Amino acid sequence: MGRKVHPIGFRLKINRDWSARWFAEGTRYRDLLQEDFRIRQYVEKEAERAGIAAVEIERYPNQVQVTLHTAKPGIVIGRKGENVKKLRQGLEALTGKKVKVEVEEVEKPDLNARLVAMNIASQLERRIGHSRAMKRAIGQAMRQGAKGIKIQVSGRLAGAEMARREWQMEGRVPRNTLRSIIDYGTAEALTTYGRIGVKVWIYLGDSLEEERKQPEPTDVYVSK
């Protein structure tokens, strides 16, 4: 087994931010962390067909803010906001706190690793060949402007007796370069032969140090 580092955790505070932003200590940290897991599981279960790419959680003294990044905001919101209202009420019953739900649209779903992985997994469940599904996803991502993409599937591919791992790649995917902006996502396909895991890495370019620095404030003279 090789020593593998999560591409997103590897780049935290460099060009990625945490998906949950709050602070706690001791047993309160444990309780809030478990609550985050329950919130994410509930959202993914209730909005399964909406293509949820990410769930961001922010906590305030009397409120929890949940931001949903989705490729299909219309499904999440529903007619006249019925679905999002139902989702908010369910989260309030789950957490016992006031919850604010915000929905943000993913403009280019073909460049979101999580959505690409979910798309490939759904194709595998519909018995589409894994090589064909990977090739199609790679072509769509490169046409949308990706610098590179790597897709890996593992399991009993095509119903084989022995599990194996296959991958396809196009362009560059510098996974060990900290300045590189790499989106990473996983999904699982539940087939009649068992589960097939899907991993996707998408290279979107570099984040240079000069771009990350905030401009220094200039002195402004105010006359009295």
Side-chain angles (χ1 to χ4, degrees):
M1 289 294 292
R3 294 178 179 175
K4 298 175 180 63
V5 179
H6 197 285
I8 294 177
F10 191 44
R11 293 171 175 80
L12 282 175
K13 296 302 292 182
I14 296 174
N15 53 35
R16 294 299 295 257
D17 199 2
W18 280 267
S19 58
R21 292 181 286 277
W22 47 267
F23 178 80
E25 292 181 332
T27 57
R28 179 170 167 76
Y29 172 81
R30 177 199 63 196
D31 297 338
L32 293 180
L33 187 64
Q34 292 176 349
E35 189 176 279
D36 279 7
F37 284 129
R38 291 195 297 269
I39 289 174
R40 295 179 194 278
Q41 289 174 356
Y42 181 83
V43 169
E44 290 179 1
K45 181 181 178 182
E46 292 297 318
E48 186 177 2
R49 294 171 50 249
I52 301 295
V55 179
E56 294 183 356
I57 300 173
E58 295 184 60
R59 295 183 182 275
Y60 300 98
N62 299 318
Q63 189 182 50
V64 179
Q65 180 173 318
V66 180
T67 305
L68 308 180
H69 297 265
T70 173
K72 303 173 183 176
I75 296 179
V76 178
I77 298 171
R79 182 175 296 177
K80 296 182 180 179
E82 291 179 359
N83 293 349
V84 73
K85 182 179 179 182
K86 181 181 177 183
L87 183 66
R88 178 177 56 81
Q89 292 173 347
L91 290 174
E92 288 180 347
L94 180 70
T95 60
K97 303 169 186 173
K98 187 178 179 182
V99 178
K100 180 182 179 183
V101 178
E102 292 189 355
V103 180
E104 292 188 8
E105 183 179 5
V106 178
E107 295 181 356
K108 295 183 178 179
D110 291 328
L111 295 181
N112 187 284
R114 167 79 171 155
L115 294 178
V116 172
M118 291 169 62
N119 183 29
I120 294 173
S122 67
Q123 292 184 59
L124 295 177
E125 290 176 350
R126 298 197 305 269
R127 302 196 176 192
I128 296 175
H130 61 279
S131 298
R132 181 181 173 188
M134 286 193 292
K135 190 173 181 180
R136 182 186 301 171
I138 288 174
Q140 291 174 343
M142 296 303 288
R143 281 194 296 272
Q144 288 289 327
K147 299 289 186 67
I149 179 173
K150 178 180 178 182
I151 301 176
Q152 176 181 294
V153 294
S154 58
R156 293 184 59 186
L157 303 177
E161 288 293 325
M162 185 175 291
R164 68 180 189 275
R165 181 181 301 153
E166 290 188 11
W167 58 273
Q168 292 185 18
M169 179 177 171
E170 187 171 337
R172 292 176 58 238
V173 185
R175 287 178 290 173
N176 294 324
T177 307
L178 283 173
R179 69 172 179 267
S180 60
I181 302 174
I182 292 184
D183 194 17
Y184 173 73
T186 61
E188 289 185 354
L190 183 58
T191 67
T192 55
Y193 300 105
R195 289 186 184 271
I196 295 178
V198 182
K199 293 182 179 180
V200 178
W201 296 260
I202 298 179
Y203 174 46
L204 301 172
D206 287 342
S207 174
L208 301 179
E209 189 71 27
E210 290 76 12
E211 297 175 357
R212 294 199 299 268
K213 287 183 178 178
Q214 296 292 330
E216 296 182 358
T218 56
D219 294 333
V220 178
Y221 177 73
V222 180
S223 61
K224 295 182 180 179

